[in-house]
Amino acid sequence: MDSFRSLIASYGLGAFAADIGVPENTAKQMRKRNSVSSEYWQAWVRGAEARGRRDVTYERLAKISAAKRLAAPTEGAAA
């Protein structure tokens, strides 16, 4: 699971939404955009720990976020 999209899918949309405290529609948009703002990471990691899941860690979320930034085209780059 090397993307937020795949991690959310594995976790379960309803569980993800509940753990980070957002409506399911908001969680769907995060999954669709393949983006989870760092403001939700603490709640997600705590929720994962409570569920006995070891695959949601700050390190993993940071790696996914960094990889996403590196893959994004830079402003002003040639098309």
Side-chain angles (χ1 to χ4, degrees):
M1 290 173 278
D2 58 353
S3 69
F4 288 117
R5 183 176 295 126
S6 64
L7 193 55
I8 293 168
S10 164
Y11 199 82
L13 187 66
F16 171 68
D19 285 355
I20 68 167
V22 299
E24 270 197 41
N25 268 349
T26 302
K28 270 186 196 175
Q29 289 303 310
M30 290 180 185
R31 183 183 64 194
K32 181 179 176 184
R33 293 182 184 130
N34 192 30
S35 180
V36 178
S37 175
S38 60
E39 70 185 273
Y40 297 108
W41 291 7
Q42 184 176 22
W44 195 6
V45 170
R46 284 185 178 170
E49 288 172 353
R51 293 174 187 275
R53 295 197 54 144
R54 298 175 192 254
D55 57 341
V56 180
T57 64
Y58 293 112
E59 183 178 5
R60 174 175 243 154
L61 299 177
K63 282 181 181 179
I64 292 170
S65 183
K68 200 172 162 223
R69 277 193 313 275
L70 289 172
T74 57
E75 191 174 324

